[in-house]
Amino acid sequence: MSSLSLKHVTKAYPNGFAAVRDFDLEIDNQEFVVFTGPSGCGKSTILRMIAGLVDVTSGEIFIDGSLVNDLEPGDREIAMLFQNYMLYPHMSVYENLAFGLKLKRLPEEEITLRVREAAEFFGLSGMLDRDPQELTEGQRQSVVLGRTVVRKPRVFLIDGAFSGLEEGLRKQMRGEISRMNRELGMTIIYVTDDQAEVLALGTRTVAIKDGMIQQVGFPKNLYNQPDNVFVAGFLGFPQMNRAEVAAGNSKDGVTLTANGINLTLPDALGKVLEENGYLGKTVVLGIRPDALHKAQAKASENQMIQIEVRTREELGTGNFLHFDMGGTEWTACTDQQADPGDTVRLSVDMNQIHIFDKETRQAIVHGNQL
Ligand code: ATP
């Protein structure tokens, strides 16, 4: 397995559209990295450049320290799994696993060894003589992954491969991919636009928008301390509630106010806004639904919002309350019981709020970092 280095990689398609811009990333040997972002953000284009299927317009791609920009795809020793992969229906499981190795003219003993090892890894040892039709869907998917394992690629690229499967199977295949990384030491890049999948995978995540990296880190870090409004909104369901608020001053401290919002910040948070010149300016306030709680009797007035419930979704352990906040729909995930039309007060967990610059959209401060 190998390390991968992308240095200022850019892709402009012949029509002039810049799909990937100044993409700079180091991926370690045996690392499992997830690329995520909305449809059209350039995820597939980056993978195709790594695989050599699309030319790099500028910048450099290194595998194990060697420049591969001009290397043919077949010489890069990279495996890529797209959405519409298939097994050969008239070949046995063994033949399906061995096929690619036979094309590479590997010695028969080596092929047998690799196939048997892969079959054992995926629990397919007793099924090598079967046709694909005689397998469950999960076993067929394992054969597909096995075909990659036998090749021993330097890097394994996976692009939306399991998006057509039902959730149970997707989960199972995600588990297998993680195991391939953990137990076989495969270097893997996994592409998904499903933010729930990103949070479930728990590996290093690269959030991408408009062909540019927005943030790199563990999913929990991106979720808890998003670098900008895009990452804040992309990760997490329901989405982070957001509103433009005026940062001001009162006798109790720094305030954030807007229609329906009148919060006084804890001193440490207020100080950051003050010291960075935000008093008197508009900033973006972000509050995740689970940072809005049932108001306790002793809760401070200036750390609460009053809302009128528009709709309610029962969750068993609590409920989602949806309400209007200055023309935008907000959601609270809380054990506060309320019905549509009810007016309730919710306390805001100030340790969980996020404040962003309105113009640059970059984070100014997170309540959980102080
Ligand atoms: P998805 O998740 O929908 O597959 P993606 O994030 O993988 O999207 P890409 O397929 O890499 O995005 O496409 C990035 C952008 O480049 C899109 O706006 C797309 O329309 C554009 N694009 C892709 N291929 C070409 C091409 N051959 N010529 C011009 N523009 C292209």
Side-chain angles (χ1 to χ4, degrees):
M1 295 303 132
S2 302
S3 64
L4 189 70
S5 175
L6 301 164
K7 293 203 184 296
H8 305 290
V9 172
T10 294
K11 175 67 192 177
Y13 280 112
N15 64 1
F17 182 74
V20 174
R21 295 186 263 172
D22 201 22
F23 204 92
D24 222 22
L25 185 69
E26 299 292 327
I27 296 176
D28 284 340
N29 183 26
Q30 307 195 349
E31 207 183 348
F32 183 177
V33 174
V34 176
F35 284 1
T36 193
S39 178
C41 73
K43 306 179 293 291
S44 302
T45 301
I46 300 159
L47 250 55
R48 292 201 168 93
M49 285 192 285
I50 295 169
L53 304 174
V54 163
D55 287 341
V56 170
T57 305
S58 65
E60 295 162 321
I61 300 177
F62 297 88
I63 300 178
D64 282 336
S66 301
L67 187 67
V68 298
N69 283 39
D70 296 324
L71 214 56
E72 290 298 318
D75 296 330
R76 295 192 188 195
E77 296 176 57
I78 282 178
M80 191 160 178
L81 193 60
F82 296 100
Q83 192 180 347
N84 298 319
Y85 49 84
M86 277 167 43
L87 294 176
Y88 301 107
H90 305 301
M91 289 185 189
S92 67
V93 170
Y94 182 95
E95 289 164 337
N96 264 286
L97 290 171
F99 188 68
L101 304 183
K102 284 188 176 157
L103 286 183
K104 286 171 94 181
R105 299 184 188 283
L106 257 65
E108 202 59 46
E109 314 83 76
E110 177 68 18
I111 294 177
T112 307
L113 182 70
R114 288 197 192 186
V115 168
R116 294 207 180 283
E117 278 175 359
E120 191 168 329
F121 183 79
F122 289 107
L124 298 166
S125 295
M127 304 169 199
L128 289 171
D129 294 334
R130 291 197 200 166
D131 286 340
Q133 305 86 280
E134 298 173 276
L135 303 179
T136 64
E137 185 57 30
Q139 289 163 342
R140 276 196 287 273
Q141 303 293 335
S142 295
V143 179
V144 169
L145 294 180
R147 278 198 314 208
T148 301
V149 166
V150 295
R151 285 179 52 197
K152 298 185 189 288
R154 299 212 282 176
V155 183
F156 185 21
L157 310 175
I158 306 168
D159 190 355
F162 308 119
S163 52
L165 301 180
E166 51 96 4
E167 182 50 30
L169 256 185
R170 277 174 72 159
K171 203 167 164 189
Q172 189 182 331
M173 299 329 289
R174 282 201 300 262
E176 290 297 63
I177 300 276
S178 298
R179 213 162 61 83
M180 287 161 71
N181 166 254
R182 243 182 6 256
E183 296 178 20
L184 304 176
M186 293 182 84
T187 307
I188 295 175
I189 305 178
Y190 186 97
V191 161
T192 180
D193 57 10
D194 179 347
Q195 50 87 23
E197 192 159 69
V198 174
L199 293 169
L201 276 166
T203 56
R204 199 158 67 113
T205 303
V206 181
I208 304 164
K209 175 176 176 268
D210 298 334
M212 285 183 289
I213 294 180
Q214 302 295 309
Q215 191 169 357
V216 182
F218 291 106
K220 229 175 153 181
N221 294 351
L222 270 64
Y223 181 85
N224 288 331
Q225 297 190 345
D227 276 353
N228 57 41
V229 173
F230 165 77
V231 177
F234 187 71
L235 284 185
F237 180 82
Q239 275 202 348
M240 182 187 285
N241 302 304
R242 297 191 300 264
E244 291 190 0
V245 292
N249 227 336
S250 80
K251 64 177 176 33
D252 297 322
V254 172
T255 55
L256 297 180
T257 51
N259 195 5
I261 299 173
N262 191 356
L263 302 171
T264 303
L265 294 178
D267 289 347
L269 274 178
K271 205 168 156 209
V272 175
L273 291 196
E274 192 172 3
E275 286 178 356
N276 289 284
Y278 284 101
L279 293 196
K281 289 190 177 165
T282 300
V283 294
V284 178
L285 168 67
I287 308 176
R288 292 211 184 272
D290 59 2
L292 291 170
H293 304 299
K294 184 175 179 173
Q296 302 298 323
K298 60 178 171 37
S300 161
E301 274 303 318
N302 52 22
Q303 299 193 343
M304 274 198 272
I305 54 171
Q306 181 161 305
I307 64 153
E308 186 183 322
V309 179
R310 193 185 265 171
T311 52
R312 182 174 87 89
E313 285 178 70
E314 184 59 51
L315 299 174
T317 51
N319 50 197
F320 286 145
L321 302 178
H322 303 286
F323 54 97
D324 177 79
M325 180 59 78
T328 306
E329 175 161 299
W330 276 34
T331 304
C333 178
T334 167
D335 57 356
Q336 166 75 58
Q337 288 301 317
D339 288 312
D342 287 354
T343 298
V344 291
R345 293 189 312 162
L346 298 172
S347 66
V348 178
D349 182 348
M350 290 299 194
N351 293 322
Q352 298 297 331
I353 69 169
H354 307 268
I355 304 172
F356 303 92
D357 185 295
K358 180 180 169 242
E359 307 305 327
T360 66
R361 317 301 278 174
Q362 298 299 307
I364 302 167
V365 66
H366 305 287
N368 58 19
Q369 81 186 69
L370 299 175

